[in-house]
Amino acid sequence: MMNRFIEEPREKYNELMSSPDKIDEILREGAEKARSITSPFLNEIKRKIGIYV
């Protein structure tokens, strides 16, 4: 029963582990997305505390 429950995540894990380039791509895309979301907020904070012009 438990093996069936974790079969899909295990397959995905094995797929990713066999492709380090895919992991790098996923991480790069995540970093870009996070940067695009947080950048405006960080710029506003920097402007308000006087370290950003």
Side-chain angles (χ1 to χ4, degrees), residues 16-43:
L16 290 171
M17 291 283 85
S18 67
S19 180
D21 292 338
K22 180 67 175 171
I23 294 172
D24 289 339
E25 179 184 342
I26 291 168
L27 292 172
R28 190 172 28 261
E29 288 173 1
E32 288 172 9
K33 183 177 179 181
R35 208 173 289 114
S36 71
I37 293 169
T38 60
S39 186
F41 297 110
L42 291 174
N43 289 339

Side-chain angles (χ1 to χ4, degrees), residues 6 13 24:
I6 64 171
Y13 171 82
D24 289 339

